[in-house]
Amino acid sequence: MTGINEALVHSRKEGSSMDNIVSAPEEKACETTRTQWRQWLACISATLSMVAVGTVYGWTTTSLSRLTSDDADVPMKLTDDECSWLVSLTVIGSMIGPFAGAYLADRFGRKRCLMFSSVFFIVGWIIVLFAKTVVALYIARVLLGVGVGISYTANPMYISEVSDVNIRGALGTLTAVNVFTGSLLTCSIGPWVSYRVLAAVLLLIPILFVACFAWFPETPHFLVTKGCRTEASRSLAFFKGIRDVNEANRELYLIVRVPSETHKSRTSVSSTQSIQAIKHTWITRLKIMRLPNNMKALNIILGLVAAQQLSGNFSTMQYLQVLFDKAAVGIDSNVATILVLAVGLVSGGFATATVEGAGRRPLLMISCLGSFVTLGGLALYLMLEARGVDVSSVNFLSVVDVIAFQIAYQIGLGTLTNALVGELFSSDVKGVAGAIVTVFDGILGFTVSKLYQVIGDSLGSHTVYFFFSISCFLAFIMVAFFLPETKGKTYPEIQLLLNKKSDPSKKTEIVEDTAA
């Protein structure tokens, strides 16, 4: 921290074109009126790619039953094994995508990387639209999976680098919320339109994304790393609504100076290089990733991802149709799926609206604890049913329990994990971290989905859900003791919290950089 403060105090002595930085009181006095609506529009437009991700998942939910039936509407009839391959190949594609996404985001920019992801979605849905063989569908699902992996990697990077700290968490939740939006949209349309009409509608989503997102600039952080300071200044002024050129230059100076001085002793960046392009090879990024701060952040994120997968959210959604049939509540299974997805979307929207006020840790703790209780209740219901206890009179409680689980899951675990990826890591390692997290998520999700049926058949479904419930409780403990509160914190302040060198309740004396 001393290095950062000294850099700001002695900044006039540097022979840079940005040496006109002024003291904090003078800076505040000459600040123009700022706006954040462009940041909201940019992030909403960027996360339209996540709506496309949601359609990839929603398509399997609403279309696989058609493809295994004798419906004359579908171009072919698939076996159960072929359908399982459609799901598995998507997962494989989503584990390839993060590496491409991390490379493209660091080489060509976050914006171009996101735009490139739309190519995979567009080509994938075109193949689905005209497919006549199962091999064509296999190819389409791999391509769609690659698009999923790229989008999951690049979105947190773009959002965190264009957002002010006081709205960064809310904008970060849009990644997960829009995945739910895509799934809900697909499941709401799919049952009532033909196979080809559904594919045509889903093809429009990435096209709409390109049309909306193409108008927004690259992030100032990336432009700085490429030495494009004029473009970076314009980008910063655009996102923050700054009209004064000098004010934009002062803010840009802080973006360049603070991260470079923070890593000065680690990456051998001299003071004369600090305002030049900050370039790291992949080997350097991996070395930076191994630093204690980043490893602790990575362990926290991987723990949250593990909690997401081991909560059994995907498996519970698949069990939904069976629950509604047993409960005999008179609701069509398609309508039931839409209902639960809608509840989850509203819950995710609640997280977006409250995360900046409530904070990340409280929402995650409530989410983990609520998931622990609701999954435990479902496990108890399944255990009683397996032991021959008559539960027919309370069947409706199982449906209520699943809906309550969706509410608990989406207010924290389902929405905040991706937001924290953008907050806990610096710009130079966000791509590497995002790739590691997405691949880990894919491997664990594939494993859980495969073992769910095996363990359920041998030990009973209630055993699986007791395990899911305990996993959420362990996640609650991890969040309570290890996750720092990042609300309103700049990147250097978050690093201090990870280092445990400062009291989390106190603000550090750093000139605030308004982006992560």
Side-chain angles (χ1 to χ4, degrees):
M1 300 310 302
T2 302
I4 297 172
N5 290 326
E6 288 177 353
L8 294 176
V9 171
H10 297 93
S11 59
R12 293 178 185 269
K13 299 180 181 179
E14 304 287 343
S16 162
S17 61
M18 293 183 187
D19 276 348
N20 56 350
I21 191 167
V22 296
S23 62
E26 293 172 341
E27 182 176 342
K28 289 182 180 179
C30 65
E31 280 186 358
T32 59
T33 302
R34 301 191 179 188
T35 60
Q36 295 177 326
W37 63 269
R38 289 176 180 172
Q39 297 173 36
W40 278 96
L41 284 181
C43 293
I44 291 172
S45 298
T47 53
L48 285 177
S49 64
M50 301 310 296
V51 176
V53 169
T55 63
V56 175
Y57 296 137
W59 184 84
T60 56
T61 302
T62 191
S63 296
L64 290 187
S65 59
R66 279 187 181 183
L67 291 168
T68 55
S69 68
D70 294 319
D71 193 339
D73 174 57
V74 298
M76 70 203 80
K77 181 178 179 180
L78 305 184
T79 64
D80 290 338
D81 182 62
E82 288 171 333
C83 285
S84 69
W85 272 107
L86 288 181
V87 176
S88 300
L89 288 172
T90 308
V91 175
I92 292 173
S94 69
M95 289 189 288
I96 298 172
F99 295 103
Y103 172 78
L104 292 170
D106 287 334
R107 179 68 183 274
F108 301 105
R110 285 66 161 126
K111 176 185 174 179
R112 289 180 182 176
C113 179
L114 284 171
M115 297 284 283
F116 186 65
S117 72
S118 64
V119 174
F120 291 93
F121 292 122
I122 291 172
V123 174
W125 288 123
I126 288 176
I127 295 175
V128 171
L129 181 61
F130 296 105
K132 295 185 181 299
T133 65
V134 67
V135 174
L137 286 181
Y138 287 163
I139 295 172
R141 295 302 291 183
V142 171
L143 292 174
L144 291 169
V146 172
V148 167
I150 294 175
S151 297
Y152 263 116
T153 302
N155 261 291
M157 300 169 72
Y158 187 86
I159 292 171
S160 64
E161 291 177 10
V162 304
S163 306
D164 288 343
V165 292
N166 64 326
I167 59 171
R168 187 182 58 209
L171 293 178
T173 64
L174 293 177
T175 299
V177 169
N178 277 347
V179 172
F180 237 74
T181 302
S183 295
L184 177 59
L185 175 67
T186 309
C187 292
S188 299
I189 296 174
W192 291 278
V193 299
S194 68
Y195 169 90
R196 297 194 187 282
V197 168
L198 177 61
V201 171
L202 301 186
L203 174 61
L204 294 176
I205 302 298
I207 295 175
L208 176 64
F209 157 68
V210 172
C212 293
F213 188 55
W215 302 99
F216 293 94
E218 181 57 74
T219 72
H221 290 69
F222 173 78
L223 293 171
V224 161
T225 65
K226 295 300 180 181
C228 305
R229 291 195 297 275
T230 301
E231 291 85 349
S233 180
R234 291 173 182 169
S235 173
L236 187 71
F238 173 85
F239 285 118
K240 296 181 181 296
I242 299 175
R243 297 182 180 181
D244 185 271
V245 175
N246 292 329
E247 185 180 341
N249 285 338
R250 284 192 298 272
E251 290 249 358
L252 184 64
Y253 185 92
L254 295 179
I255 288 179
V256 177
R257 168 67 69 180
V258 173
S260 63
E261 288 295 329
T262 301
H263 294 297
K264 182 176 178 180
S265 62
R266 299 169 180 172
T267 58
S268 300
V269 178
S270 68
S271 60
T272 58
Q273 292 173 317
S274 62
I275 56 176
Q276 303 299 321
I278 306 167
K279 298 180 180 179
H280 295 302
T281 65
W282 270 78
I283 295 177
T284 305
R285 289 189 178 94
L286 288 174
K287 288 181 179 179
I288 296 174
M289 193 71 221
R290 293 174 59 187
L291 292 171
N293 284 1
N294 289 327
M295 288 305 298
K296 183 173 181 179
L298 182 62
N299 288 333
I300 290 172
I301 296 297
L302 293 182
L304 290 174
V305 169
Q308 282 183 321
Q309 293 295 346
L310 296 179
S311 70
N313 179 60
F314 176 78
S315 303
T316 303
M317 293 298 291
Q318 301 307 302
Y319 189 71
L320 189 64
Q321 183 173 352
V322 177
L323 285 178
F324 271 85
D325 290 340
K326 286 185 177 180
V329 292
I331 300 178
D332 180 78
S333 59
N334 291 319
V335 176
T337 301
I338 294 172
L339 173 65
V340 175
L341 286 173
V343 169
L345 181 59
V346 171
S347 184
F350 176 79
T352 300
T354 61
V355 65
E356 295 301 348
R360 285 63 158 161
R361 291 181 72 252
L363 287 180
L364 278 167
M365 290 170 68
I366 292 171
S367 178
C368 292
L369 201 58
S371 298
F372 161 69
V373 172
T374 52
L375 288 171
L378 183 59
L380 181 61
Y381 168 84
L382 294 172
M383 184 182 70
L384 293 175
E385 184 183 50
R387 294 184 177 180
V389 178
D390 184 12
V391 292
S392 57
S393 61
V394 292
N395 271 343
F396 70 95
L397 290 178
S398 62
V399 177
V400 174
D401 185 88
V402 170
I403 294 175
F405 165 70
Q406 274 301 304
I407 294 173
Y409 177 81
Q410 293 301 332
I411 64 172
L413 276 176
T415 52
L416 294 180
T417 301
N418 287 319
L420 287 170
V421 171
E423 293 187 324
L424 295 181
F425 300 100
S426 62
S427 297
D428 49 7
V429 294
K430 276 190 178 80
V432 175
I436 294 172
V437 169
T438 306
V439 171
F440 177 78
D441 184 43
I443 293 173
L444 191 58
F446 182 81
T447 303
V448 170
S449 63
K450 289 296 183 182
L451 293 180
Y452 172 78
Q453 194 64 45
V454 175
I455 298 176
D457 290 341
S458 58
L459 300 176
S461 295
H462 61 281
T463 303
V464 179
Y465 280 95
F466 274 126
F467 176 76
F468 289 160
S469 179
I470 293 171
S471 297
C472 290
F473 183 72
L474 293 177
F476 168 79
I477 294 175
M478 183 196 73
V479 171
F481 288 97
F482 298 105
L483 177 68
E485 178 55 71
T486 59
K487 181 182 73 171
K489 299 290 192 300
T490 62
Y491 171 71
E493 292 171 331
I494 293 172
Q495 293 308 295
L496 285 179
L497 294 180
L498 289 171
N499 258 336
K500 294 185 178 179
K501 290 183 179 179
S502 66
D503 184 348
S505 65
K506 296 179 181 179
K507 279 284 206 179
T508 57
E509 296 179 359
I510 302 176
V511 177
E512 186 171 278
D513 172 16
T514 56

